[in-house]
Amino acid sequence: GLILLFYLVFYGFLAALFTFTMWVMLQTLSSDIPKYRDRIASPGLMISPKPDTALEFYFNKSDSQSYAEYVSTLRQFLETYDDSKQAQNIDCTPGKVFDQNEEAVKKACRFNISELGQCSGKEDKTFGYSRGTPCVLVKMNRIIGLKPEGEPYIQCSPKEEGAVQINYFPHGGLIDLMYFPYYGKSLHAHYLQPLVAVQLAINSNSTKEEITIECKILGSPNLKNEDDRDKFLGRIAFKVQMTE
Amino acid sequence: IQDDHKLSTEELEEKYGTSISKGLSSARAAEILARDGPNSLTPPKATPEIVKFLKQMVGGFSILLWIGAAFSWISFGIQFAQGAESPFDNLYLGVVLALVVILTGIFAYYQEAKSTNIMASFSKMIPQQAVVIRDAEKKELSADHLVVGDIVEIKGGDRIPADIRLIFTQGCKVDNSSLTGESEPQSRSCDFTHENPLETRNIAFYSTTCVEGTATGIVINTGDRTIIGRIASLASGVGNEKTPIAIEIEHFVYLVAGVAISIGVLFFIISVSMRYKFLDSIIFLIGIIVANVPEGLLATVTVSLSLTAKRMAKKNCLVKNLEAVETLGSTSIICSDKTGTLTQNRMTVAHLWFDDQIYSADTSEDQTTQPFDQTSKTWAALSKIVTLCNRAEFRPGQESLPIMKRVVAGDASETALLKFAEVVLGDVMDIRARNKKVAEIPFNSTNKFQLSIHETDDPNDQRFLLVMKGAPERILERCSTIMINGKEEPLDSEKAEAFQTAYMELGGMGERVLGFCHLYLPENEFPDTYSFDTDSMNFPTSNLCFVGLLSMIDPPRSTVPDAVSKCRSAGIKVIMVTGDHPITAKAIAKSVGIISATSETVEDMAKRLNLPVERVDRRQATAAVVNGMELKDMSLEQLDEILCNHSEIVFARTSPQQKLIIVEGCQRQGAVVAVTGDGVNDSPALKKADIGIAMGIAGSDAAKNAADMVLLDDNFASIVTGVEEGRLIFDNLKKTIAYTLTKNIAELCPFLIYIIASIPMPIGTITILFIDLGTDIIPSVALAYEKAESDIMNRRPRNKKKDRLVNEQLAVYSYLHIGIMQSVGAFVTYFTVYAEQGFLPSTLLGVRVNWESNAINDFEDSYGQEWTKYQRMYLQWTGYTAFFVSITIQQVADLIIRKTRRNSIFQQETCNLSFWFSCRNKVIWVGIFSQIGIALILTYGLGHVTALNFTPLRFQYWFVAVPFAILIWVYDEVRKLFIRRYPGSWWDKNMYY
């Protein structure tokens, strides 16, 4: 009896102490930006759609079922970029970092979905999959306060040379500086990160082959893309195999 | 049983195919040697080294770790076959686990081998030589090559090389003490005197020594077939008991393994039912096992024990078997030899009687003067007899040594008298030279006296002086006068009565009494040209003048009474087991306190109450002196009754074989028994005892082999220091184990919470190994240097069954109190690190699957930032490091609180404000600094080696757990305070470990 009471009190005390110290610790944190960002100094790259099976696209261009999932993922992903959702976003000055440190409410720059051209899903509802020119969206991970230097752009290249022609939307795979910096979820609620669509036109003699495509972010000295250990830091590799 | 002692010489020659004059032929001897083997005792079968090594590899926790390693490899195999991305992690983990087992195994093996090596030096025997007649020639050959039928010659000082039937003797005496425990030399002749071969005079036994005289005999038994060989092989039949500490450690291993396995299996079931993948569940299981097993602990225990062993070796206790270190501490009965262990093993003059008065002499080890009254003229006469009527001489070249340490040629009594005279009178040899000896009759057993005639050193006195010493009653018979205050007075009945009283009194003290008398031969009858003939005795040997008595005893060592009283206050019963006469044994027992001043034996009570012995209430007698003869006829129940009812027991006239019976009797009472011994046939008792203690100086090799410990100075007091060390190490091992077990909870909780709450892994398996085998090792050894908290020699020996090394309180307090506090502190640090990097605690719950997915490289944190897998892993390792650092910091607090179990650490340190750096156990500081130093090196030095999963950590994270460390310390101080304040209370019962 006494033992139970003792442990009840003892663990009650420890739980309260734990809660209290955690509360104190959380009080020291800002709700806007994390205290340290040194563990993510440079952003990673990621693509959409993201297949379950480790970044490998397998589809048959004549079988709509085989790519239905990719298409619906893309559609879903682009929903947040829909014009109707961007009503409050402003048009920013292209090519310039959009500093708004002084403003209490941070504004988000409009990302016009039409910039994605054939990969916007407006003209081709299957994002090119049905025609053998699949679209993959490349995005750069959001990092608070990150201001890329230079003129960053995405460049992709197939490992197997000449297996595929690549088109970039916007042109040249440019990532506009006006989308930076990011001010964090709570301050920058409507922020949309810039996208680069990569359209792969697979050569007819390379169908049925597995093509590895590596995309990198280039043109910016402060965005790393060749880390030994982190294969996704400023770069991404994925495989595509298309059948007919 | 052979009947060689009954056969005649001729029959023997025939039986063994030998000839007394010519001996065996070399060819025949070689044949027999080939048949019987060498004449040496087969050493006890040693365990092969490889078996010892393998035992270390599977003992203790090793099995659990092997299972962990096996699971790691199995899951590696499965993952590899499935083509998973990073299967090698598990391969490495398995290899690391295997390495841990192998390295700790090698370490333990090395430690054990080291302590065995110390002993190896003892068993190097100098090959013994024997003089043999072979091919009708006298030859000297190694005793190993003796065969049955060989004719050997022995002289005084030799060790008997085999069992020998004597066929020719001249004044031969043997010391059978290694066989029978009888310390008096026994004479040997060619006559068949007793049916029992052990009692008859015409057989000399292997390993006994010939004290004086010469003899020739036929070898009748060699090697293991000798009497001693048979006893020695009996010893190897007596099983080695498990040491108490081995039992305790086994108990502890079972306990921890039980906890590890049950938590492991429980969480395996939980994780399987929570739909974790089977393989993941197995990996969790490995983690739980690794977290639960204190990998470094057994090595630490070994080191602590060997440190104590070293300390004991400095105090003359050489420990053969490391575990025996603690056994001594839990000893509740010591069965001690008398001669050499309790006593100085040399006859010393203890009392004198002259002028109708008894004087006491100094019997300490390093006497330089004698304090008794030396003014009487009687003393001058007595001292002259003592000096002159003595054949013993100092070996030359020892002038620089203290008198008591010089080596003397002569028997024990004469040696005692010589040294006594040298101390009192100065240069004895010079006095003898000035009083030239003209005739002498040495002591023999029929005369029972020794006589010599001298010229005197007084140039004016031309008389010869006849001096005589011997058995008091025989000397008195030859006297008609007695010297009182330098004057000769007639020996009337009154004076004879006084002599009787003194003689009885001295004899009653267990002392060997000698009488001394002299006579100045009249000058007219014995001119200085007179030729004395000792055969016809052409001089008077009666009507002499009685001068005095001297009594001798082998006195107790001066440190022994104190040691015995220490044993008494430590609750250890000291039982004397000796081959000596009961009266001597009792006298020594009384003088060292084994029988205390106030207690009485049944016989004493009978004498005091004037009742026959049978009518005395035995229960009222606290002391008992048991004769070996009585013991022989006793049933086990009767022996148990004696051991149970009497607190002070002396066994006298016991044979070494009876020692075994006594030891077994004590063990039946549930006691932990320490036994001392030196003879070959003490070895069964030494082996049977919980701790056998062999004498380093007097001990035989067989005894040293059978013993667990060797007493280098043969001194009983050294046993007591050993007991103290043994008790201290038991207490300190408790502290070490409590310290080590605590952090196991802080290592285990992360796994459990990881499984249940699916948070990112807080600590890695490799990191755990770095705590167990890195930061924690030196501190836990440092606890072995802790001083005793209170007088450990003032409490009773621990109860084998109740006072466990790891008791419930220790486990509960370590696991459920301090361990949980440590976990809380470490988790606060963990959550702080994640929160400050952007993952608030609420975000972490349930993220495990996505967090660990290789495909997700845009994992969103609480602030909307996105993380690649590697960035998350790096953060996870930072979490490991933070968790590791927190445990280390809190282990510093744990180390400090473990210094004491009851006292406040301020009490322990006796230096209050100057607590820092100036305290008694400085090694603790080494422990703390090493702990923090290793943590710093791992974090900042090896922070870039990915495989180790350490990352450089922000400095402030070292301090997150500090409040919890302080809390641990305060909590423990409060615990100790209540324990001291309310002894016996609920708190005391539950919180004192």
Side-chain angles (χ1 to χ4, degrees), chain A residues 91-206:
Chain A
D91 289 318
C92 307
T93 327
K96 256 182 76 183
V97 170
F98 180 40
D99 259 323
Q100 30 184 346
N101 292 338
E102 312 303 322
E103 286 82 4
V105 182
K106 320 289 183 190
K107 298 211 170 69
C109 292
R110 175 168 295 135
F111 184 86
N112 203 333
I113 204 163
S114 61
E115 289 201 31
L116 298 180
Q118 296 172 25
C119 293
S120 64
K122 300 273 191 229
E123 298 139 38
D124 186 349
K125 304 278 182 206
T126 66
F127 297 90
Y129 282 82
S130 61
R131 285 186 291 173
T133 56
C135 282
V136 174
L137 296 175
V138 179
K139 68 187 177 86
M140 205 169 80
N141 280 353
R142 288 190 298 264
I143 290 175
I144 294 174
L146 177 76
K147 294 179 197 166
E149 293 158 7
E151 287 191 344
Y153 64 96
I154 300 286
Q155 192 183 58
C156 302
S157 56
K159 254 192 186 157
E160 300 78 5
E161 243 173 80
V164 72
Q165 259 95 52
I166 301 172
N167 279 328
Y168 301 95
F169 305 97
H171 185 68
L174 279 175
I175 293 175
D176 205 302
L177 292 182
M178 65 182 178
Y179 298 103
F180 300 95
Y182 173 51
Y183 284 97
K185 199 156 82 176
S186 65
L187 292 179
H188 220 162
H190 298 288
Y191 177 81
L192 289 173
Q193 64 209 105
L195 302 174
V196 171
V198 176
Q199 188 169 36
L200 311 167
I202 298 165
N203 283 351
S204 51
N205 53 0
S206 293

Side-chain angles (χ1 to χ4, degrees), chain A residues 11 30 36 139 141-142 230, chain B residues 816 858 863-864 866 868 956:
Chain A
Y11 288 144
S30 139
Y36 302 116
K139 68 187 177 86
N141 280 353
R142 288 190 298 264
D230 195 345
Chain B
L816 298 184
D858 52 355
Y863 293 89
E866 291 167 318
T868 65
Q956 69 262 34

Side-chain angles (χ1 to χ4, degrees), chain B residues 438-440 453-454 464 466 521 526-536 538-540:
Chain B
V438 290
E440 179 173 51
I453 300 169
H454 300 259
F464 285 103
L466 182 150
L521 301 178
F526 300 95
D528 55 0
T529 51
Y530 190 84
S531 140
F532 293 96
D533 181 1
T534 52
D535 290 328
S536 61
N538 54 353
F539 45 85

Side-chain angles (χ1 to χ4, degrees), chain B residues 604-624:
Chain B
D604 290 336
M605 285 176 71
K607 206 170 153 194
R608 177 168 58 86
L609 301 170
N610 222 347
L611 285 172
V613 172
E614 301 78 49
R615 287 184 49 201
V616 175
D617 181 8
R618 292 186 162 269
R619 286 170 189 284
Q620 281 184 8
T622 46

Side-chain angles (χ1 to χ4, degrees), chain B residues 478-494:
Chain B
R478 295 172 184 274
C479 293
S480 56
T481 57
I482 182 164
M483 187 178 273
I484 304 283
N485 297 324
K487 291 196 189 70
E488 273 186 44
E489 288 177 21
L491 185 65
D492 53 29
S493 62
E494 190 192 332

Side-chain angles (χ1 to χ4, degrees), chain B residues 736-747:
Chain B
T736 302
I737 290 175
Y739 168 77
T740 314
L741 283 186
T742 306
K743 52 106 189 353
N744 279 2
I745 281 297
E747 291 168 354

